[in-house]
């Protein structure tokens, strides 16, 4: 994929992650196509830093990967006895006590949590492989636009592990429990047509049209008033945890805030 942010000075560019900002639009790019944007703890720390580095002006964040694959999952060095230099091996992690192990995984998860914060809308532009951690990173975003060659797969279970990078909640929310279980337990590929039909993706387009489709979606999101988008996102995100009547009340309260704001009337 060509880089739509190549003419912008990066706010951050390290460990396989580049962040650029163009006023209200930020782009986070995975920049290690030679390894199919494989993920490591260093990359996760850089992704978390990218989230912390967003200026307050940003309303939409696009996540993309250079090359033929969005992200093929964990760096395979993590599965070797030696691991990645400077990082704990799986064996070393397993030997930590419960609190230390929990803290380590929680730190890794920080790379995946900020994409759904209420004041931004995040879009994953996904082509080629999005495997394991790559699938979970795409799921971390609010929306997914995919190329027609996309191949999602959750391979952790087949490796004797579980998906632990925040992907299980959005996966179940999008496709339902039964299909989510089947996808995770079998590790099979979910391709473009099924991704759209099941709700995993908003739309599938030819590979060469992916950047343009994402730009169009970002432009449409930016055309709406920011505060209305923020309130609407909060309403929709909380809907699953509310009863019908609780959601009605939340709608009334949100609308009252919007009406007062538009009229310039304080509460």
């Amino acid at each position: 994929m060509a880089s739509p942010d190549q003419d912008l000075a990066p706010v951050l560019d390290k460990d396989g992650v580049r962040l650029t900002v163009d006023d209200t639009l930020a782009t986070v790019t995975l920049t290690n196509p030679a390894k199919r944007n494989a993920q490591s703890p260093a990359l996760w720390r850089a992704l978390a830093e990218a989230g912390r580095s967003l200026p307050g002006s940003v309303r939409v964040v696009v996540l993309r990967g250079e090359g033929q694959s969005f992200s093929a999952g964990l760096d395979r060095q993590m599965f070797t006895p030696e691991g990645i230099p400077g990082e704990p091996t799986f064996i070393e992690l397993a030997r930590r006590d419960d609190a230390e192990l929990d803290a380590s995984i929680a730190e890794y998860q920080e790379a995946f949590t900020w994409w759904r914060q209420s004041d931004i809308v995040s879009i994953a532009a996904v082509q080629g492989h999005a495997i394991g951690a790559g699938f979970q990173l795409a799921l971390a975003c609010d929306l997914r636009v995919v190329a027609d060659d996309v191949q999602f797969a959750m391979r952790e279970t087949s490796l004797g592990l579980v998906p632990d990078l925040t992907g299980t909640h959005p996966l179940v929310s999008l496709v339902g429990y039964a299909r989510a279980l089947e996808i995770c337990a079998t590790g099979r590929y979910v391709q473009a047509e099924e991704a759209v039909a099941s709700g995993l993706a908003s739309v599938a387009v030819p590979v060469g049209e992916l950047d343009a489709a994402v730009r169009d979606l970002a432009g449409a999101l930016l055309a709406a008033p920011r505060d209305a988008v923020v309130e609407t996102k909060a309403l929709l995100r909380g809907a699953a945890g509310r009863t019908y009547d609780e959601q009605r009340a939340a709608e009334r309260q949100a609308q009252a805030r919007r009406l007062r704001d538009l009229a310039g009337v304080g509460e």
Side-chain angles (χ1 to χ4, degrees):
M1 290 176 63
S3 175
D5 59 342
Q6 58 189 357
D7 297 327
L8 297 170
V11 175
L12 179 146
D13 195 354
K14 62 190 293 188
D15 296 323
V17 175
R18 181 174 65 244
L19 166 66
T20 58
V21 176
D22 186 4
D23 192 18
T24 55
L25 176 65
T27 303
V28 176
T29 304
L30 307 180
T31 61
N32 191 3
K35 295 188 73 170
R36 294 185 181 271
N37 298 311
Q39 297 183 33
S40 66
L43 180 139
W44 295 332
R45 289 191 291 269
L47 283 174
E49 185 177 344
R52 294 191 297 268
S53 302
L54 289 179
S57 62
V58 170
R59 295 182 52 193
V60 173
V61 181
V62 172
L63 170 64
R64 56 184 301 280
E66 290 184 345
Q68 296 181 333
S69 293
F70 174 74
S71 174
L74 295 179
D75 188 319
R76 295 192 178 201
Q77 278 188 266
M78 296 180 69
F79 296 97
T80 65
E82 300 79 16
I84 296 175
E87 305 290 353
T89 66
F90 281 160
I91 292 174
E92 289 170 339
L93 285 172
R95 287 173 175 164
R96 294 179 177 180
D97 64 33
D98 288 348
E100 291 174 327
L101 181 54
D102 185 78
S104 296
I105 297 172
E107 180 184 3
Y108 299 157
Q109 288 176 333
E110 289 178 12
F112 298 76
T113 57
W114 62 267
W115 304 92
R116 294 198 173 209
Q117 63 192 50
S118 62
D119 58 341
I120 62 170
V121 177
S122 54
I123 308 167
V126 189
Q127 81 284 0
H129 294 98
I131 310 298
F135 191 5
Q136 293 187 77
L137 187 55
L139 285 167
C141 292
D142 295 307
L143 305 169
R144 282 148 298 283
V145 176
V146 301
D148 55 10
D149 69 343
V150 74
Q151 296 189 75
F152 290 115
M154 202 73 84
R155 291 288 172 80
E156 286 82 352
T157 307
S158 60
L159 295 171
L161 303 170
V162 300
D164 66 338
L165 297 172
T166 79
T168 56
H169 189 281
L171 182 62
V172 171
S173 298
L174 290 165
V175 306
Y177 159 74
R179 185 172 292 195
L181 175 61
E182 182 256 331
I183 288 171
C184 292
T186 65
R188 70 172 177 85
Y189 286 119
V190 176
Q191 298 179 329
E193 183 177 359
E194 181 183 355
V196 174
S198 66
L200 276 173
S202 300
V203 64
V205 297
V207 175
E209 298 176 15
L210 183 58
D211 284 338
V214 171
R215 282 196 299 270
D216 288 346
L217 177 55
L221 292 166
L222 291 169
R226 179 172 195 158
D227 289 344
V229 173
V230 170
E231 289 277 13
T232 300
K233 180 174 177 177
L235 268 176
L236 295 174
R237 286 209 62 200
R242 301 188 188 106
T243 66
Y244 177 75
D245 287 337
E246 288 169 344
Q247 185 70 2
R248 287 176 56 218
E251 290 174 359
R252 295 195 301 271
Q253 293 161 8
Q255 193 71 299
R257 287 192 293 271
R258 296 304 312 126
L259 288 171
R260 291 192 180 104
D261 184 60
L262 290 171
V265 177
E267 295 192 25

